[in-house]
Amino acid sequence: MQDLDELYKLILERKNNPEKGSYTDYLFTKGLDKILKKVGEEATEVVVAAKNPSDPDFILEVADLAYHVEVLMAERGITPDQIKKELASREGKQSITKDRKQIKEW
């Protein structure tokens, strides 16, 4: 099974050496707008799946979102290491909730 770093490397490989007929090639060929649309769709599907009791469905949708976000990152030239660096820069910082907008139930 792949981790997210390995998946990103595979996506980059497919971007640089397209396999005609592959879904990854399709996304890169269609370009940024198509990739953004898919990320939005997958994010919505994660939210819907999270509201339902099925863990397998939720896991499937999170995996789909992770894949599409990594395709978007590759399209934009952003690496997992850049994301890791950003996350590491947040470690140990306290969130100041009074500076954040209040979250209200809908």
Side-chain angles (χ1 to χ4, degrees), residues 79-95:
T79 67
D81 285 342
Q82 289 173 281
I83 303 302
K84 290 175 190 177
K85 183 178 177 182
E86 172 59 27
L87 291 171
S89 76
R90 299 176 184 192
E91 188 176 343
K93 291 184 179 178
Q94 254 186 342
S95 177

Side-chain angles (χ1 to χ4, degrees), residues 17-32:
N17 301 295
E19 288 186 19
K20 295 300 176 197
S22 76
Y23 182 65
T24 303
D25 180 53
Y26 166 78
L27 290 172
F28 285 125
T29 299
K30 290 292 182 180
L32 183 61

Side-chain angles (χ1 to χ4, degrees), residues 5-51:
D5 287 333
E6 290 172 343
L7 177 59
Y8 184 80
K9 289 175 187 173
L10 178 61
I11 290 168
L12 274 183
E13 173 63 26
R14 295 274 171 89
K15 181 179 183 190
N16 296 327
N17 301 295
E19 288 186 19
K20 295 300 176 197
S22 76
Y23 182 65
T24 303
D25 180 53
Y26 166 78
L27 290 172
F28 285 125
T29 299
K30 290 292 182 180
L32 183 61
D33 287 343
K34 181 63 171 182
I35 296 166
L36 292 171
K37 180 179 177 186
K38 289 303 298 180
V39 169
E41 289 173 4
E42 297 301 338
T44 299
E45 291 174 8
V46 166
V47 171
V48 171
K51 295 282 287 179

Side-chain angles (χ1 to χ4, degrees), residues 89-103:
S89 76
R90 299 176 184 192
E91 188 176 343
K93 291 184 179 178
Q94 254 186 342
S95 177
I96 303 172
T97 56
K98 68 180 175 109
D99 294 338
R100 296 178 183 250
K101 293 181 181 180
Q102 185 177 2
I103 299 172

